[in-house]
Amino acid sequence: MDQRHRVQRAVSDPKVRQVGFFAPNPNPISDFPSRSSPPLAGSPSNATSSSPVIIIPPPPPPAARNHPALSHLVVGSYDAASESLLGSSSRLPSSPPYSARGFVVDGEFSEESWPQRSNSAKFASSFPSGGFNLTAARAVITPEGDASPAVISANEKNEVSAVEAKNERTESSKPEKAKLTKSERRALQESQRAAKAAAKGEGNKPSAGAAPCGPGKASKQPAQKKDTASAAPSSALLERKGSDRLPEKDRKKDVPAPRMQFDDKSRVEKAKRRAVVNQTEARNRVELFRHLPQYEHGTQLPDLESKFFQLDPMHSAVYKVGLQYLSGELTGGNARCIAMLQAFQEAIKDYVTPPEKTLSRDLTARVSSYVSFLNECRPLSISMGNAIRFVKNRIAKMQITLSESEAKASICSDIDRFISEKIILADQVIVKHAATKIRDGDVLLTYGTSCVVEMILLHAHEVGKKFRVVVVDSRPKLEGQRLLRRLVTKGLSCTYTHINGVSYIMHEVSKVFLGAASVLSNGTVYSRVGTASVAMVASSFRVPVLICCEAYKFHERVQLDSICFNELGDPDAVSKVYGRLDVNYLDDWGNKENLQLLNLMYDVTPSDYVSMILTDYGMVPPTSVPVIVREYRKDQLWM
Amino acid sequence: MPDVQSLVNEFILKLKKRKIEGSQANARQTAVLLRSVISQQRIPYTSQAAALIDAVRAVGQQLTAANPIELAVGNIVRRVLHIIREEDLSLTTGAIEGLNVSSVSDDDSDTDKDDNPGLSAAALAAAARSTLRPPSLQTLLEDLPDSSAIPHTSSSGDNSDGKSKSADKSTKSRKLKHDVIEAVNELIQDIDTCHDQIAEQAVEHIHHNEVILTLGSSKTVLEFLCAAKEKKRSFRVFVAEGAPRYQGHLLAKELVARGLQTTLITDSAVFAMISRVNMVIVGAHAVMANGGVIAPVGLNMVALAAQRHAVPFVVLAGCHKLCPLYPHNPEVLLNELRSPSELLDFGEFSDCMDFGYGTGTPLLHVVNPTFDYVPPKLVSLFITDIGGHNPSYMYRLIADYYSADDLVLQKKAASVN
């Protein structure tokens, strides 16, 4: 990881979060006093060491970069608390390679819901690089805890000199950072916590979740300072509110950051340079899906295999799972998620905190690098995003007093608990619920392969229900055939057809059971492509559609169509029809520039086709999904 | 005669084995076959038209029995029957007009006594319609001339004894046969050119930058899209592959060869993509009298998705696909199940095939239907070779092409046997 990369990343990340909303403060000078006013982080708790960190803004957006005065005022998209973390983390040593990797996943689900954690590492890595004059000057790390407000304001006034001074500082900044003692680190943690509490106190602010809103931010900061100047009332406020409603800040955290858009050339280039997996872009890409990654399939695997011994930061267990994703050996939301979590467990067991680093920060960065690697192998599913969010949160919330082995054991047991409670037990609960919905003489239709639906059918068969199963399948994966085989060997009576024949078979069907990759909070079901068609035909025939989905797959994102976010499979799989040598019209499709093949992996089923969602919290209508997401999010993260 | 019978048998065999692909090919071959049936038919001096009708109907019954699903065959048989009736009618009316007023008067008495009591009022009306001369406002208003005018035509269609006496027999019989064969030739030509006729209308329906979705392959659709392309319209086409026949691959190849921007998608992705589609254009297997469509499997799903997203669902159909029957439970009765081997590899699933030892019924069934029924409410527009029509108008078009007597070929066969 050379310096240039880090710089570019630092430039580009805020840019995405500022889309369209950025408007520099027209009155920069008036804001200065408030900036240099007593910092909020220090005030509530101890105010000993880390007072200055709170006013260090993230790097300014490109529009403001060339104007020194503006650059102070254009604050990034993060709220004050995250800024405090930002600043504080910038004094912490960070390991550039990991943090650098951690951001390939920007396009993915939920890691970015913790901007203050992961991004902090990124900004930290960007500062010493020296390519980013003005912010570097702002963020010049004042050694130890001597940075009083006065120093900061002095810094601001003497911007130019700071810029000049920066050069020698950048060389020295790293050793300085490394010199933090344990007590200082603890003090830092304290201040962060205090800052967070302060931000929570602000929970009733109307500008909820407006993450990309630059000006809103700028106006908010002084207000927050007023707020936290009297920290006691605000925390009292928190006490009152915290019990009955989710604090605003948590909700803000839940708003997913924009995903990486692959039609953004510059970002793709950067991501490519960071990438472990060498991907070549697919030929004849579909215009509508330029924003999604689409690569040649089959070329990366040997390449990656040969790299096995060179990739020392990658744990072998993670590597193995990545290869399994890549080769398509490991499919299915639950299976992929469990495999990933177990690989993380392995990696955490073997993890040793490098000297002069804290476990929680370094391990988070490490996990981020694993995640980005897995993401390169195959885009992560939404459920995996939730699981990753859980793991990272566990690591971040690790008590600093724990010894390394204790911490590792605690994380591993947490992961175990996640797997057993959120996936395995949840499945059992769903099976129990669903079995009550199956009656003798039913004809149940299912589409593709869903492991929960399979468990439901087998369970109902075991308890002696008499029913028939219709397995609907579709090209190119033909996953239904595997399900069909397993069901028939267990003695269930099955009918097999392809998705085009679903209108023909639907007359006989009494219920439709479908699996889901995720259920989004507007009630839409994100699932294997074709699910929407099956649900549509079923509802047009007045057949109830039951979606079986564990609650850990619920996500607060919303989506209206299947195009904005999706996954693209191997286009060759469309042109070649398995077992049909006579269908060979398109063998040389790559040479025809007018022809594109589209192998969509998922689609979105509108909620009005869904009669009921079977989940581990019971049987709910699709309208209840946002409620579950909100009410149980806390439980899921802090269990 | 025997060589006609051998031709018929050969065609029946082809139909039974489903050798002929596509309703257009079927329609054309049926018309050609019926032409030779007519030309070989020996015509008695009396009731020539009836003899021709009987001969054609007999062949038609065999053909439709051979493949009741291929509705185009029955349609063509009905068309030919209708042509015979019409030609006969025009001959007799021509003869009547040629005759003097005196002959008309005795003709009147003739028709009164010959009037077939079995003819229903509906048949009379149909016969009147089939002259392609709609009753004038005057005849509609004045009861008396109307009632006398209709028996005229109907009786002449059924029985031409009275007039043939006065007319030159040999020339007339030759003339009828000749006219019918001419008309059948025209019909064949119509079938051949229906693609072009439909394609001519393409520019009226496809505009610039349009995104069109189609499923499977249809020659009509291919010609339609290419016609628009030739008129310098640039648009994009999504082709759903149409499993298990994968005709979409073929269509995509053809479209690309003609320079159209084409994207091939799987059938399951239709719902995902339809939100970005401006129009669905598909071919049909047959169009029923109620405006419903018998179409390649999967199209009901596409039509539902199109309705959901308010995308126009346009069906292209040549006139030979118009079927004068009203469907009942068409998903099952007008469908055909193809070989399971298209869906499942028998080799792979051989171990699952004999699990039915307990009850004797096999555990594994495979359903591979050929057609879907798209109800008329899901169809936005039909484009036929004579223009665009609403689904609710199809019954009227059908009344123009077929005479009411011929609607049921199969029922008659049952009563005869």
Side-chain angles (χ1 to χ4, degrees):
Chain A
M1 293 301 143
D2 60 343
Q3 294 190 333
R4 201 167 38 129
H5 289 191
R6 280 177 240 136
V7 178
Q8 280 166 333
R9 192 168 46 255
V11 171
S12 59
D13 276 322
K15 178 165 66 185
V16 165
R17 297 201 164 83
Q18 294 262 346
V19 173
F21 290 103
F22 163 68
N25 194 321
N27 190 10
I29 314 297
S30 68
D31 225 21
F32 269 21
S34 75
R35 293 206 143 264
S36 51
S37 68
L40 72 162
S43 52
S45 53
N46 48 4
T48 48
S49 61
S50 57
S51 45
V53 296
I54 197 66
I55 29 177
I56 295 173
R65 214 178 305 145
N66 45 10
H67 195 295
L70 280 186
S71 72
H72 300 265
L73 301 152
V74 179
V75 274
S77 52
Y78 312 108
D79 54 6
S82 69
E83 273 174 37
S84 78
L85 287 174
L86 255 182
S88 60
S89 69
S90 69
R91 349 173 81 220
L92 288 173
S94 71
S95 58
Y98 302 146
S99 60
R101 287 250 181 69
F103 283 86
V104 185
V105 254
D106 270 3
E108 269 316 306
F109 307 113
S110 46
E111 298 80 27
E112 312 77 48
S113 304
W114 308 99
Q116 64 270 59
R117 306 242 164 264
S118 36
N119 286 354
S120 62
K122 173 191 63 187
F123 288 121
S125 67
S126 77
F127 290 143
S129 66
F132 209 35
N133 291 349
L134 293 167
T135 37
R138 295 251 332 116
V140 161
I141 290 123
T142 49
E144 270 72 78
D146 62 345
S148 66
V151 176
I152 284 291
S153 54
N155 263 354
E156 282 173 347
K157 281 163 199 152
N158 305 326
E159 192 85 75
V160 186
S161 63
V163 172
E164 283 157 3
K166 179 218 63 180
N167 283 333
E168 58 266 28
R169 285 203 189 234
T170 45
E171 271 94 71
S172 60
S173 64
K174 234 178 172 168
E176 276 168 2
K177 275 190 276 175
K179 265 187 260 168
L180 283 175
T181 65
K182 196 168 181 185
S183 67
E184 277 165 347
R185 246 179 280 138
R186 195 174 309 160
L188 253 178
Q189 297 273 340
E190 293 281 344
S191 67
Q192 284 160 17
R193 236 165 272 151
K196 235 182 243 176
K200 274 181 191 171
E202 264 206 320
N204 46 359
K205 282 219 128 196
S207 66
C213 180
K217 210 46 234 30
S219 63
K220 206 173 109 192
Q221 218 172 16
Q224 176 156 22
K225 274 172 193 149
K226 268 178 255 147
D227 220 3
T228 46
S230 54
S234 74
S235 60
L237 192 74
L238 172 71
E239 239 80 270
R240 260 189 292 120
K241 301 219 161 201
S243 54
D244 58 327
R245 62 192 283 273
L246 208 62
E248 195 74 18
K249 185 163 162 297
D250 285 344
R251 230 180 276 169
K252 235 177 275 170
K253 237 185 289 179
D254 286 345
V255 175
R259 291 178 295 261
M260 169 127 170
Q261 300 295 310
F262 281 77
D263 49 353
D264 185 345
K265 285 257 168 53
S266 57
R267 295 201 68 204
V268 171
E269 281 305 308
K270 268 166 244 154
K272 245 189 191 166
R273 262 178 268 143
R274 287 193 301 264
V276 179
V277 187
N278 263 338
Q279 313 247 42
T280 42
E281 282 210 352
R283 301 158 292 175
N284 298 5
R285 295 179 59 187
V286 182
E287 196 62 39
L288 262 175
F289 290 94
R290 289 226 173 254
H291 61 290
L292 297 176
Q294 189 173 18
Y295 298 117
E296 288 282 341
H297 283 248
T299 55
Q300 315 97 323
L301 200 56
D303 178 48
L304 210 53
E305 273 165 355
S306 66
K307 268 200 224 166
F308 186 84
F309 295 105
Q310 301 160 22
L311 289 166
D312 58 33
M314 211 50 66
H315 191 272
S316 60
V318 177
Y319 201 81
K320 184 177 147 209
V321 172
L323 290 184
Q324 282 175 329
Y325 288 172
L326 196 59
S327 62
E329 199 180 305
L330 203 60
T331 54
N334 286 346
R336 278 168 71 196
C337 191
I338 291 175
M340 179 191 70
L341 288 174
Q342 283 170 345
F344 285 172
Q345 266 184 323
E346 291 290 313
I348 289 170
K349 274 179 197 153
D350 295 347
Y351 171 80
V352 181
T353 315
E356 300 167 350
K357 291 184 180 180
T358 50
L359 178 131
S360 63
R361 301 227 170 273
D362 187 51
L363 193 54
T364 309
R366 186 74 70 102
V367 169
S368 296
S369 77
Y370 295 157
V371 168
S372 70
F373 168 73
L374 294 179
N375 191 46
E376 285 164 26
C377 293
R378 184 179 163 188
L380 301 176
S381 70
I382 295 178
S383 56
M384 289 162 75
N386 281 341
I388 291 164
R389 191 198 292 202
F390 167 79
V391 172
K392 285 192 174 173
N393 193 52
R394 293 312 305 173
I395 296 172
K397 297 265 168 183
M398 193 54 54
Q399 279 172 16
I400 201 109
T401 50
L402 286 181
S403 74
E404 188 178 308
S405 60
E406 280 172 335
K408 276 158 58 180
S410 138
I411 294 168
C412 286
S413 75
D414 280 336
I415 292 176
D416 268 336
R417 209 147 46 89
F418 185 89
I419 293 174
S420 68
E421 277 182 24
K422 292 290 168 192
I423 303 177
I424 293 167
L425 274 176
D427 280 349
Q428 286 169 5
V429 173
I430 292 173
V431 167
K432 213 177 73 194
H433 283 312
T436 65
K437 293 287 156 202
I438 300 177
R439 281 182 287 182
D440 282 350
D442 264 350
V443 180
L444 309 177
L445 184 141
T446 183
Y447 174 73
T449 300
S450 157
C451 66
V452 193
V453 172
E454 186 182 346
M455 286 159 75
I456 290 167
L457 297 175
L458 292 177
H459 174 77
H461 183 67
E462 274 163 23
V463 300
K465 298 246 166 90
K466 300 265 176 295
F467 61 93
R468 209 151 60 77
V469 181
V470 178
V471 179
V472 180
D473 205 353
S474 82
R475 284 236 313 136
K477 296 194 99 169
L478 295 177
E479 295 164 305
Q481 293 195 356
R482 275 177 277 159
L483 175 72
L484 180 73
R485 172 181 292 278
R486 289 194 291 262
L487 293 181
V488 169
T489 31
K490 288 272 164 58
L492 280 87
S493 173
C494 292
T495 305
Y496 178 82
T497 189
H498 55 91
I499 189 163
N500 281 342
V502 72
S503 307
Y504 176 86
I505 205 82
M506 199 54 86
H507 295 274
E508 313 170 7
V509 174
S510 56
K511 279 182 192 79
V512 176
F513 279 88
L514 297 172
S518 179
V519 179
L520 309 179
S521 76
N522 57 346
T524 56
V525 177
Y526 184 76
S527 187
R528 173 67 65 220
V529 64
T531 306
S533 301
V534 173
M536 172 185 68
V537 173
S539 74
S540 82
F541 281 82
R542 307 279 187 274
V543 177
V545 177
L546 291 85
I547 303 285
C548 308
C549 183
E550 301 87 350
Y552 87 98
K553 291 179 177 173
F554 287 16
H555 200 270
E556 63 272 355
R557 216 170 61 206
V558 291
Q559 201 172 332
L560 285 174
D561 60 20
S562 318
I563 292 166
C564 292
F565 180 73
N566 214 316
E567 189 183 331
L568 300 178
D570 181 9
D572 279 329
V574 177
S575 70
K576 290 194 184 65
V577 180
Y578 176 72
R580 290 281 294 273
L581 293 174
D582 53 319
V583 185
N584 54 1
Y585 313 111
L586 300 176
D587 282 352
D588 56 343
W589 67 277
N591 307 327
K592 297 170 180 161
E593 58 180 21
N594 279 336
L595 180 64
Q596 296 115 25
L597 303 187
L598 177 64
N599 184 3
L600 218 52
M601 299 289 268
Y602 294 98
D603 68 6
V604 157
T605 308
S607 60
D608 46 347
Y609 293 150
V610 179
S611 318
M612 186 199 277
I613 296 173
L614 290 166
T615 170
D616 33 337
Y617 295 117
M619 295 177 265
V620 298
T623 46
S624 297
V625 174
V627 182
I628 288 184
V629 168
R630 197 187 62 188
E631 295 297 321
Y632 295 96
R633 168 65 64 222
K634 223 178 168 183
D635 163 60
Q636 188 175 332
L637 290 177
W638 284 273
M639 70 177 198
Chain B
M1 199 62 188
D3 50 88
V4 171
Q5 196 52 46
S6 72
L7 276 177
V8 169
N9 287 340
E10 193 188 325
F11 189 56
I12 285 174
L13 204 64
K14 276 186 189 167
L15 283 176
K16 278 188 176 161
K17 291 186 169 173
R18 315 291 196 254
K19 284 275 188 202
I20 309 164
E21 287 267 319
S23 51
Q24 197 211 8
N26 270 313
R28 191 175 191 284
Q29 294 201 21
T30 310
V32 170
L33 179 73
L34 290 178
R35 185 176 62 186
S36 59
V37 167
I38 291 166
S39 66
Q40 304 263 335
Q41 177 71 30
R42 263 187 306 221
I43 295 197
Y45 290 119
T46 57
S47 68
Q48 304 159 331
L52 274 184
I53 286 171
D54 285 345
V56 168
R57 175 171 275 171
V59 172
Q61 279 165 8
Q62 294 178 46
L63 296 183
T64 47
N67 186 355
I69 307 302
E70 188 51 77
L71 295 164
V73 172
N75 296 343
I76 292 302
V77 172
R78 290 184 187 98
R79 281 290 286 278
V80 171
L81 289 174
H82 180 66
I83 285 169
I84 296 169
R85 285 172 202 277
E86 215 173 88
E87 289 301 329
D88 187 39
L89 186 71
S90 66
L91 269 185
T92 44
T93 47
I96 290 162
E97 274 158 20
L99 289 176
N100 296 339
V101 185
S102 61
S103 74
V104 174
S105 66
D106 73 55
D107 196 47
D108 260 339
S109 63
D110 211 42
T111 54
D112 284 342
K113 104 184 156 227
D114 282 353
D115 199 359
N116 192 341
L119 274 178
S120 65
L124 287 179
R129 219 183 285 132
S130 67
T131 60
L132 295 179
R133 286 176 305 176
S136 70
L137 194 61
Q138 194 187 7
T139 55
L140 283 175
L141 288 173
E142 293 165 25
D143 272 340
L144 207 65
D146 181 37
S147 59
S148 65
I150 289 171
H152 246 300
T153 54
S154 66
S155 68
S156 54
D158 260 13
N159 194 348
S160 46
D161 279 275
K163 285 130 291 179
S164 57
K165 274 177 209 153
S166 55
D168 186 356
K169 283 163 194 162
S170 56
T171 51
K172 197 204 161 189
S173 69
R174 237 181 282 129
K175 189 161 179 4
L176 174 67
K177 213 163 151 180
H178 178 259
D179 286 353
V180 168
I181 287 173
E182 280 287 289
V184 173
N185 278 336
E186 254 172 53
L187 175 66
I188 293 171
Q189 209 180 350
D190 275 356
I191 295 170
D192 286 340
T193 59
C194 76
H195 293 321
D196 305 331
Q197 302 264 341
I198 295 173
E200 265 176 30
Q201 305 166 51
V203 273
E204 295 171 25
H205 297 281
I206 297 176
H207 64 73
H208 211 66
N209 276 343
E210 191 139 41
V211 182
I212 289 164
L213 183 130
T214 184
L215 182 137
S217 178
S218 154
K219 191 152 185 291
T220 325
V221 173
L222 175 67
E223 296 288 334
F224 192 79
L225 296 177
C226 290
K229 169 75 183 168
E230 277 158 21
K231 296 270 166 58
K232 304 288 179 230
R233 294 282 151 85
S234 80
F235 53 94
R236 282 190 295 145
V237 186
F238 286 118
V239 182
E241 59 185 4
R245 297 184 67 208
Y246 305 110
Q247 296 277 299
H249 291 237
L250 191 61
L251 180 70
K253 190 182 180 184
E254 298 271 338
L255 288 175
V256 167
R258 313 230 189 155
L260 272 163
Q261 274 291 334
T262 310
T263 306
L264 184 71
I265 63 175
T266 54
D267 300 321
S268 45
V270 164
F271 188 88
M273 297 310 297
I274 199 116
S275 59
R276 298 296 184 274
V277 167
N278 299 126
M279 198 197 283
V280 179
I281 297 179
V282 292
H285 174 69
V287 178
M288 307 307 286
N290 65 344
V293 183
I294 307 290
V297 68
L299 273 183
N300 188 44
M301 192 176 76
V302 177
L304 282 170
Q307 190 199 35
R308 160 91 193 181
H309 292 272
V311 176
F313 186 84
V314 178
V315 177
L316 308 182
C319 274
H320 57 274
K321 293 184 179 178
L322 298 181
C323 179
L325 303 177
Y326 285 84
H328 169 66
N329 197 6
E331 294 93 334
V332 180
L333 297 180
L334 289 177
N335 214 333
E336 202 168 41
L337 296 179
R338 294 167 69 93
S339 162
S341 64
E342 290 181 334
L343 300 187
L344 275 188
D345 190 346
F346 286 155
E348 276 178 37
F349 274 78
S350 55
D351 55 328
C352 296
M353 299 281 181
D354 53 345
F355 271 90
Y357 42 79
T359 54
T361 54
L363 282 173
L364 177 57
H365 294 264
V366 177
V367 178
N368 184 9
T370 316
F371 300 119
D372 251 359
Y373 173 69
V374 182
K377 62 173 183 179
L378 297 181
V379 180
S380 313
L381 187 70
F382 285 103
I383 298 179
T384 66
D385 37 9
I386 52 165
H389 304 286
N390 228 27
S392 57
Y393 184 71
M394 295 323 276
Y395 85 95
R396 185 64 188 79
L397 262 191
I398 280 158
D400 283 346
Y401 282 114
Y402 306 99
S403 63
D405 292 348
D406 305 323
L407 293 189
V408 267
L409 290 173
Q410 224 45 44
K411 269 277 169 63
K412 285 268 172 71
S415 64
V416 165
N417 297 339

